[in-house]
């Protein structure tokens, strides 16, 4: 028996995704604040990639396991995905409160591992929730709503890096005082936004047949791992094609996030981290610039839904990647700090697509009983390139790019061009938003 999913209102879909805002505030701090913290604690440029190993490794290990576990979970009181949102948010909030008290480089690196574990625990079930709750017609809006909150959360995170240094002046311990304010605000946003979504969202219960199957399945420690390997073995071809796109796309993004502040410091202020005052100013301005690309993201996110329906998801994604690449290629050559906003606008458009459009290429080919594990595997396709980047880019930067962060941004632009070309070779079903009959909205 086919169960029709109820059609949700715009505001129901929005409330369902508010928790994504807190998750992305935390990711925004990781992208823009962690590298400067490493710099303040004495890291050398070629150490930075390996110090960011926490994110991709925890994503590789945590998300697919959490996805497999959530697929096999059902509680009449707590639901299927929501328990994992809450556990992840609590872990994130506690770690964000502790992060500014880092007294050494390796303490900060260790806390980043914990922070990423919390973020990934909350992140993966959110992707699966969209597939659980929304029919074919509303899934683009659901995924792009997450893109919208990605932009909004990261805007706030990056604006805090610009505004708080003007308010909270001086040092507290080993780090500037503004770091404490930014991370404390992040801790509040993480738990508060998740609690909002949990209180406003009801999950669709499994059918009697699905519930009986869940209860009959044997549970074991190795069960989630076996489920992951089985899902990879059965993975549709379109996901393998997307994995190749992601290899270049996410390698490029890690190059940008790790080097943007230092690139701006050199191109605009002609300063390095050793020049603390000028570098702090560059970090603050980069936070504002990165905040702007996230403003662009939430401004264009919903428009991409219509383009994806009209022109196909892969054409929209390829175009957005190309626009982002042009922005990256221009970025390191700009000496006027105000012109950086024009260059990074391209990345804002690309980032809006990256956060939602690729899921439309694959979701129709994933069996619904394995939504969680396959969303986790998609995240593996994101983090494997990041792990590869953290292990290799220090060498590339030192021996081929002269330890110059500006060249790292240029390198990222070239990689995005390659990923745009590869996107056009993906063979996926064109999304059809009008082929599902739905029940009346539930309030």
């Amino acid at each position: 028996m086919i169960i029709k999913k109820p059609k949700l209102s715009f505001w129901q879909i929005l409330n369902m995704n508010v928790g994504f805002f807190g998750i992305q505030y935390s990711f925004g701090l990781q992208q823009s604040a962690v590298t400067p913290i490493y710099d303040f604690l004495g890291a050398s440029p070629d150490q930075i990639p390996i110090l960011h190993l926490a994110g991709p490794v925890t994503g590789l290990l945590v998300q697919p396991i959490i996805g497999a576990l959530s697929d096999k979970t059902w509680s009449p009181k707590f639901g299927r995905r929501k328990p994992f949102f809450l556990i992840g948010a609590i872990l994130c909030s506690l770690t964000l409160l502790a992060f500014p008290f880092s007294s050494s480089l390796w303490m900060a690196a260790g806390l980043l591992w914990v922070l990423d574990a919390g973020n990934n625990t909350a992140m993966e079930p959110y992707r699966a929730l969209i597939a659980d709750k929304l029919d074919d017609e509303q899934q683009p809006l659901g995924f792009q709503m997450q893109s919208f909150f990605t932009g909004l959360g990261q805007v706030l995170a990056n604006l805090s890096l610009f505004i708080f240094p003007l308010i909270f002046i001086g040092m507290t311990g080993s780090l500037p005082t503004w770091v404490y304010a930014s991370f404390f605000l992040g801790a509040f946003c993480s738990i508060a936004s998740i609690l909002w979504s949990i209180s406003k969202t009801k999950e669709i219960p499994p059918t009697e047949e699905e519930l009986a199957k869940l209860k009959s399945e044997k549970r074991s420690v190795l069960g989630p791992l076996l489920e992951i390997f089985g899902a990879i073995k059965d993975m549709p071809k379109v996901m393998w094609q997307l994995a190749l796109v992601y290899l270049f796309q996410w390698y490029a993004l890690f190059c940008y996030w790790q080097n943007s502040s230092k690139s701006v410091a050199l191109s605009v202020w002609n300063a390095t981290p050793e020049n603390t005052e000028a570098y702090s100013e560059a970090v603050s301005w980069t936070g504002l610039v990165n905040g702007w690309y996230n403003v662009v993201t939430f401004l264009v996110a919903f428009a991409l839904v219509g383009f994806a329906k009209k022109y196909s998801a892969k054409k929209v994604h390829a175009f957005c990647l190309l626009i982002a690449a042009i922005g990256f290629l221009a970025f390191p050559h700009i000496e006027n700090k105000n012109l950086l906003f024009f260059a990074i606008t391209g990345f804002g458009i690309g980032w809006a697509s990256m956060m939602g459009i690729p899921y439309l290429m694959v979701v129709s080919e994933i069996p619904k009983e394995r939504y969680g594990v396959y969303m986790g595997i998609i995240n593996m396709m994101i983090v494997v390139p990041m792990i590869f980047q953290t292990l290799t880019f220090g060498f590339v930067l030192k021996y081929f790019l002269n330890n110059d962060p500006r060249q790292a941004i240029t390198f990222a632009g070239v990689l995005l061009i390659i990923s745009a070309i590869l996107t056009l070779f993906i063979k996926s079903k064109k999304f059809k938003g009008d082929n599902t009959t739905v029940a009346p909205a539930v309030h």
Side-chain angles (χ1 to χ4, degrees):
M1 181 178 67
I2 298 175
I3 304 297
K4 295 178 181 178
K5 297 176 183 178
K7 190 174 179 66
L8 303 186
S9 70
F10 177 87
W11 297 109
Q12 287 174 311
I13 296 173
L14 184 142
N15 283 328
M16 182 172 69
N17 285 294
V18 164
F20 217 70
F21 166 79
I23 296 170
Q24 292 301 326
Y25 184 104
S26 179
F27 273 119
L29 288 178
Q30 288 178 233
Q31 292 169 11
S32 297
V34 169
T35 293
I37 288 172
Y38 285 156
D39 291 331
F40 287 128
L41 293 173
S44 61
D46 52 283
Q47 283 182 306
I48 296 297
I50 198 70
L51 288 169
H52 281 277
L53 189 61
V57 169
T58 53
L60 180 66
L61 298 175
V62 172
Q63 282 213 25
I65 291 175
I66 293 297
L69 287 173
S70 67
D71 282 342
K72 307 298 182 184
T73 297
W74 175 255
S75 163
K77 183 176 181 181
F78 299 107
R80 169 173 284 155
R81 315 294 182 184
K82 291 194 291 185
F84 298 96
F85 302 165
L86 184 59
I87 293 168
I90 291 171
L91 192 57
C92 284
S93 293
L94 293 175
T95 311
L96 287 168
L97 289 173
F99 208 102
F101 296 96
S102 299
S103 57
S104 67
L105 189 60
W106 296 108
M107 180 179 174
L111 284 171
L112 183 60
W113 282 82
V114 181
L115 179 61
D116 262 305
N119 272 327
N120 282 293
T121 299
M123 170 79 81
E124 188 287 326
Y126 241 121
R127 299 293 193 193
L129 182 66
I130 297 300
D132 287 342
K133 290 271 295 178
L134 303 180
D135 59 35
D136 288 350
E137 183 181 2
Q138 291 196 308
Q139 281 175 0
L141 178 58
F143 285 123
Q144 286 308 106
M145 186 72 77
Q146 292 187 348
S147 182
F148 171 84
F149 278 118
T150 295
L152 190 60
Q154 294 190 16
V155 164
L156 181 59
N158 284 287
L159 280 179
S160 76
L161 303 187
F162 177 75
I163 295 171
F164 286 169
L166 304 177
I167 302 171
F168 303 99
I169 300 169
M171 302 287 288
T172 301
S174 303
L175 297 172
T177 305
W178 60 261
V179 172
Y180 291 77
S182 293
F183 278 74
F184 289 172
L185 179 58
F188 171 78
C189 290
S190 181
I191 190 67
S193 62
I194 287 288
L195 289 174
W196 177 274
S197 285
I198 287 175
S199 69
K200 297 291 184 180
T201 303
K202 291 184 179 180
E203 296 192 62
I204 299 175
T207 63
E208 290 183 8
E209 293 83 0
E210 290 170 337
L211 198 56
K213 185 178 179 182
L214 284 176
K215 290 179 179 179
S216 66
E217 289 180 350
K218 294 181 180 180
R219 305 296 174 93
S220 68
V221 176
L222 295 178
L225 293 176
L226 295 174
E227 177 68 18
I228 292 165
F229 288 123
I232 292 174
K233 178 177 176 292
D234 300 332
M235 200 161 76
K237 183 179 179 181
V238 66
M239 288 185 66
W240 290 107
Q241 294 172 322
L242 184 63
L244 185 59
V245 172
Y246 273 10
L247 174 62
F248 293 92
Q249 174 183 303
W250 289 98
Y251 195 112
L253 265 55
F254 241 37
C255 291
Y256 172 77
W257 289 326
Q258 291 170 4
N259 292 278
S260 57
S261 293
K262 288 194 284 288
S263 174
V264 171
L266 282 171
S267 63
V268 178
W269 276 269
N270 195 27
T272 63
E274 289 73 29
N275 186 341
T276 304
E277 185 176 346
Y279 182 61
S280 293
E281 192 174 349
V283 169
S284 177
W285 192 259
T286 305
L288 194 63
V289 170
N290 286 342
W292 171 248
Y293 85 66
N294 285 287
V295 170
V296 174
T297 292
F298 74 73
L299 288 176
V300 306
F302 296 130
L304 296 184
V305 175
F307 289 129
K309 289 181 179 181
K310 185 174 181 180
Y311 298 109
S312 84
K314 75 173 184 180
K315 290 179 181 178
V316 169
H317 191 58
F319 178 78
C320 291
L321 287 175
L322 184 60
I323 294 296
I326 294 170
F328 276 1
L329 293 175
F331 192 88
H333 302 287
I334 294 172
E335 298 178 359
N336 183 324
K337 65 181 183 180
N338 295 309
L339 295 180
L340 291 169
F341 293 100
F342 291 97
I344 210 62
T345 295
F347 181 40
I349 296 170
W351 187 232
S353 180
M354 293 172 201
M355 288 294 96
I357 297 300
Y359 296 92
L360 300 180
M361 300 182 205
V362 300
V363 70
S364 63
E365 300 190 34
I366 297 174
K368 77 180 189 69
E369 66 274 9
R370 301 177 95 174
Y371 279 153
V373 68
Y374 273 120
M375 291 299 169
I377 289 171
I378 291 174
N379 189 69
M380 291 175 67
M381 291 154 43
I382 293 171
V383 299
V384 167
M386 289 183 172
I387 293 172
F388 184 50
Q389 194 270 357
T390 60
L391 295 175
T392 62
F393 192 65
F395 179 84
V396 173
L397 185 63
K398 186 174 182 179
Y399 293 102
F400 295 95
L401 303 178
N402 198 31
N403 260 345
D404 189 334
R406 294 167 296 187
Q407 293 190 40
I409 308 296
T410 301
F411 184 67
V414 173
L415 294 181
L416 285 185
I417 292 174
I418 296 172
S419 64
I421 295 170
L422 291 172
T423 300
L424 294 174
F425 288 94
I426 291 178
K427 293 182 179 180
S428 61
K429 298 175 183 176
K430 185 176 180 181
F431 175 78
K432 295 180 181 179
D434 57 355
N435 61 352
T436 305
T437 303
V438 294
V442 174
H443 297 283

